[in-house]
Amino acid sequence: MKNVTDQDLKNEIADMRERYPRLQDSELFVACFLKCCVTENEQEAIAALVGGPGDKSLDAILIDDPSKTVFVVQGKYRQRTNGAREHRSDVTSFAEIARIFSDTSAFSSFIEGLEASAAGKAENARKRIRSRGYRIQLFYVTTGLCSQSLTQEADRIIRQAESPASIEIIDGKRMLRLLTDYLGGVAPPVPFLELEIENGNGIRLEGVLQRYDGNTRIESLVFPVNVWHIAEMYEKSGIRLFARNVRGFLDQTSINKNMEATLHKEPELFWYYNNGITIICDEAVRQSRAGRNLIRVVNPQVINGQQTTRTLHKKASRNSKATVLVRVISVPRETDEESDRFENLVSKIVAATNWQNAIRASDLMANDRRQIEIERKLRNLDYQYLRKRQSKGEARRHAGVRHRFLLKKEEVAQAVAACDLDPSIVRQGKEGLFEERYYGQVFPNTDPNYYLPRYWLVDCVSSVARGYPERAYAKWVVTHFIWQRLQQLLKTRHLKQVFTRQYERGDFKYLAKTCNAVFRGVMAFYRSRRGTGDKAIDVSTFFQRRGRHQEFERFWRNAQPKHRAQLRTGWDAFKDELQTAADSE
């Protein structure tokens, strides 16, 4: 995906303005940053806003209890990205906030004159910093420019604070990169991590393998890390460390169980058995501090080794003798060409290195822009959409909130294909629906109102088929037949929404009766065409053949009157239910 532009940022702000018309663009810019970089929850980002008269460099305060961090944001929204340079006084006075929140008298003076809600947020933040050991993370976010010397001066000011604190200055170019990542599903990002290179305990390291490609400016580092530090890495960053990975945690696979056994019985051999962890990032810098050799990685993403990382987090102990190989790849993304190279490199590394737990066609589409947008829009409707392969329990644990409904992208794909394509294609296997020849037809847009009526129709058809083994093979033909009639009813966005809401509540009494009538007709169709004796076709093979839905339409026109009458009665009653529901909303 190419880097976004100034216009993309303006479009994002304009989109938010439709939902929050009372907010100024400068406020929406800060909320947009929070949504991209700190919390993907837009409402939480809006609630964090503080700005107004006398805001004293506080545009937003967001308290994140799970990470024990207070995020404080100052925003400077200018119409032209990377135009004007930031003033020294603006940046340095903002950096002083870290010291002020640690000092009682300075804080008392600071909140004088603040608007009541802003003062309340500041006081809540300070209580966590002083009493509960929260760290403070400052973000100075601008669409302008900031010099390297001013950034370094802000860092020096921050180090004077009594409480743990850090500052990130996000200029216009980096803000656009964050928006690019957000639209690509990498939100919120991990700002940076520090990985300690293994040394001591009888292990001698001659050096870190470092490779730099002058043509592409891609730099690679390879080094050993104690497994405990990998466990800490996940503890600090959580699931967002794997946003660019195409799968979730697969939990108790045989390979993951073998890793656990090695950690327990032969930790010193883990280095030899495990393929290691691959991290892609924007920048990697070697540092030395307090006798520790570190690699500082900016905006890191684990693109191979999620199963290893998560297993180590579960099982690694502080005193473990196990070591794992870490490969860090730093890829520049300042131009569209470099951005394309970055995306292609990630995709190819994922496909080439994740071979222990095989990659599927559906996995490779997990981070497709369309899948990401579908996930976000469904979340607003209280649906959890699983675009990455993982257990439903794992997905619920990391969702943050419990949604009313949980959908897998494979189930949605089957529903659309059954309704709009030849039903035999669904019988060939769900993975084929994610191949290039079908993917664009199965996922033509990101509108939830396109997918949900189809999904719930399949749910109804499947419930009517339950308990009848032969119906399991015929259900896709039944789905296709009913959808051709249902889509004629659901011609407006409103009616699609009404259908979805009514089905969610279980308020349709006659849709299942309609499905049952069609099933009876389809099974009569099968019996009339299967043949006899040794040449008889079994029900599974019969419904695998192409064109059965067209043959059934012709059969239905001459079907037994009782089947057609049952359908007509049920369908008319269902239409009345739908219309009554639409009129009442």
Side-chain angles (χ1 to χ4, degrees):
M1 184 174 68
K2 294 185 180 298
N3 287 325
V4 301
T5 64
D6 294 15
Q7 189 57 49
D8 293 304
L9 177 59
K10 291 176 182 177
N11 291 344
E12 193 69 22
I13 290 173
D15 179 61
M16 294 177 68
R17 191 188 306 124
E18 291 184 4
R19 294 185 291 280
Y20 307 100
R22 295 184 179 181
L23 296 180
Q24 301 294 318
D25 282 1
S26 57
E27 295 173 297
L28 293 172
F29 169 68
V30 172
C32 180
F33 165 76
L34 284 170
K35 182 174 70 170
C36 293
C37 192
V38 179
T39 173
E40 200 176 1
N41 187 314
E42 184 175 275
Q43 293 180 342
E44 192 174 65
I46 294 294
L49 294 176
V50 169
D55 62 21
K56 297 188 178 182
S57 298
L58 293 179
D59 285 337
I61 298 177
L62 191 150
I63 300 172
D64 184 50
D65 292 312
S67 68
K68 300 186 72 172
T69 304
V70 171
F71 295 97
V72 181
V73 183
Q74 169 76 23
K76 298 289 184 180
Y77 180 55
R78 310 178 192 284
Q79 290 299 311
R80 190 164 70 88
T81 301
N82 295 327
R85 289 189 174 275
E86 293 304 312
H87 297 295
R88 177 180 176 276
S89 59
D90 290 337
V91 177
T92 55
S93 62
F94 179 66
E96 287 285 351
I97 288 177
R99 182 187 60 78
I100 290 170
F101 271 61
S102 303
D103 185 281
T104 301
S105 61
F107 183 78
S108 298
S109 300
F110 179 78
I111 62 172
E112 287 182 9
L114 274 182
E115 190 266 332
S117 65
K121 288 180 180 178
E123 288 172 342
N124 285 337
R126 185 171 185 272
K127 286 177 183 177
R128 284 170 168 79
I129 293 168
R130 297 291 291 172
S131 305
R132 295 163 63 178
Y134 281 38
R135 60 184 292 271
I136 183 169
Q137 172 66 62
L138 303 183
F139 283 115
Y140 188 95
V141 190
T142 175
T143 51
L145 295 168
C146 192
S147 67
Q148 184 64 29
S149 60
L150 184 52
T151 299
Q152 292 171 347
E153 184 176 357
D155 283 332
R156 288 194 293 271
I157 294 172
I158 281 288
R159 287 197 287 271
Q160 298 172 12
E162 295 179 16
S163 304
S166 56
I167 186 170
E168 289 279 334
I169 297 179
I170 312 293
D171 63 11
K173 184 182 295 184
R174 190 171 170 195
M175 179 62 202
L176 293 182
R177 192 183 305 161
L178 287 168
L179 182 57
T180 299
D181 285 346
Y182 170 78
L183 295 174
V186 186
V190 179
F192 68 89
L193 288 171
E194 291 180 340
L195 297 173
E196 183 173 352
I197 302 169
E198 182 197 36
N199 207 357
N201 296 321
I203 304 298
R204 187 175 67 185
L205 183 67
E206 297 296 339
V208 172
L209 175 61
Q210 187 168 4
R211 179 182 185 272
Y212 178 76
D213 184 338
N215 295 318
T216 62
R217 299 196 297 139
I218 296 175
E219 186 170 18
S220 303
L221 300 168
V222 182
F223 51 96
V225 176
N226 184 276
V227 295
W228 174 250
H229 296 307
I230 298 299
E232 282 188 313
M233 175 182 75
Y234 177 72
E235 183 68 27
K236 292 177 181 177
S237 306
I239 196 71
R240 59 185 179 158
L241 191 59
F242 312 110
R244 290 191 181 277
N245 210 293
V246 297
R247 292 178 304 207
F249 185 43
L250 302 180
D251 207 2
Q252 291 298 304
T253 65
S254 59
I255 292 170
N256 291 351
K257 288 178 182 178
N258 288 338
M259 269 195 279
E260 293 180 11
T262 301
L263 284 170
H264 178 63
K265 298 176 181 178
E266 302 174 297
E268 67 280 358
L269 298 181
F270 193 87
W271 165 267
Y272 305 104
Y273 295 167
N274 189 270
N275 288 331
I277 296 167
T278 300
I279 298 174
I280 199 159
C281 64
D282 291 340
E283 182 183 31
V285 180
R286 296 181 64 176
Q287 298 179 337
S288 180
R289 186 166 62 250
R292 302 163 65 212
N293 292 319
L294 306 171
I295 305 292
R296 188 179 193 269
V297 288
V298 176
N299 195 14
Q301 280 287 302
V302 172
I303 57 173
N304 174 242
Q306 177 175 188
Q307 310 308 315
T308 297
T309 303
R310 300 285 296 277
T311 300
L312 294 179
H313 179 252
K314 284 174 61 180
K315 298 295 181 180
S317 63
R318 180 179 292 274
N319 299 317
S320 177
K321 297 179 181 179
T323 301
V324 67
L325 177 74
V326 174
R327 179 170 56 155
V328 172
I329 304 173
S330 172
V331 185
R333 292 189 289 160
E334 295 181 3
T335 67
D336 283 344
E337 181 183 359
E338 289 177 335
S339 183
D340 287 342
R341 183 186 297 123
F342 176 89
E343 298 296 338
N344 290 333
L345 183 63
V346 169
S347 297
K348 290 178 179 178
I349 291 175
V350 166
T353 59
N354 285 274
W355 59 268
Q356 286 184 303
N357 292 295
I359 292 287
R360 302 173 183 172
S362 58
D363 293 332
L364 294 175
M365 301 309 299
N367 289 333
D368 178 65
R369 173 77 173 274
R370 200 166 295 171
Q371 293 295 320
I372 294 163
E373 284 298 309
I374 292 171
E375 179 187 26
R376 287 181 175 142
K377 290 179 178 180
L378 283 172
R379 187 186 304 135
N380 292 334
L381 299 176
D382 210 9
Y383 285 79
Q384 186 176 357
Y385 181 68
L386 271 61
R387 61 183 173 87
K388 296 186 179 184
R389 178 158 46 114
Q390 58 190 307
S391 70
K392 290 187 175 182
E394 170 72 10
R396 288 192 177 100
R397 279 194 294 274
H398 291 282
V401 296
R402 190 174 182 87
H403 298 273
R404 286 187 302 154
F405 305 103
L406 190 150
L407 280 62
K408 288 187 174 182
K409 72 176 186 295
E410 293 84 357
E411 296 168 341
V412 173
Q414 287 178 309
V416 175
C419 290
D420 299 333
L421 305 180
D422 189 315
S424 67
I425 294 172
V426 188
R427 288 293 315 282
Q428 293 170 14
K430 56 191 175 185
E431 287 301 316
L433 302 176
F434 292 88
E435 295 174 358
E436 186 176 353
R437 56 179 172 162
Y438 294 130
Y439 183 76
Q441 299 174 71
V442 173
F443 292 100
N445 57 56
T446 62
D447 182 8
N449 296 303
Y450 178 86
Y451 298 102
L452 290 177
R454 291 167 168 81
Y455 174 82
W456 286 124
L457 174 60
V458 170
D459 183 79
C460 184
V461 172
S462 298
S463 67
V464 173
R466 203 165 292 126
Y468 299 88
E470 287 188 334
R471 288 187 174 189
Y473 303 108
K475 74 175 186 178
W476 304 118
V477 171
V478 172
T479 298
H480 188 93
F481 181 87
I482 297 175
W483 178 253
Q484 302 314 303
R485 288 140 183 85
L486 181 58
Q487 68 177 341
Q488 297 302 315
L489 295 181
L490 307 182
K491 288 186 175 181
T492 66
R493 182 184 185 87
H494 175 61
L495 284 171
K496 292 184 178 76
Q497 293 172 336
V498 169
F499 174 81
T500 296
R501 285 193 288 266
Q502 288 295 106
Y503 192 89
E504 289 171 353
R505 292 194 289 259
D507 287 347
F508 287 129
K509 296 179 181 179
Y510 292 97
L511 184 60
K513 292 183 178 181
T514 298
C515 295
N516 194 49
V518 178
F519 263 117
R520 288 175 178 171
V522 167
M523 297 317 297
F525 164 64
Y526 161 64
R527 288 189 292 272
S528 72
R529 302 294 179 88
R530 65 183 173 185
T532 59
D534 293 340
K535 293 184 178 180
I537 305 172
D538 68 87
V539 66
S540 175
T541 303
F542 182 86
F543 286 107
Q544 281 182 337
R545 294 185 179 177
R546 284 183 175 266
R548 290 301 191 199
H549 61 302
Q550 296 167 335
E551 294 176 22
F552 176 63
E553 285 281 359
R554 291 192 291 270
F555 171 86
W556 184 258
R557 289 194 288 270
N558 300 307
Q560 294 181 28
K562 65 177 183 179
H563 295 318
R564 296 204 305 273
Q566 289 170 349
L567 173 62
R568 189 181 307 111
T569 301
W571 190 249
D572 288 343
F574 164 69
K575 287 194 295 185
D576 289 342
E577 285 182 309
L578 180 65
Q579 190 59 53
T580 300
D583 292 342
S584 66
E585 291 195 8

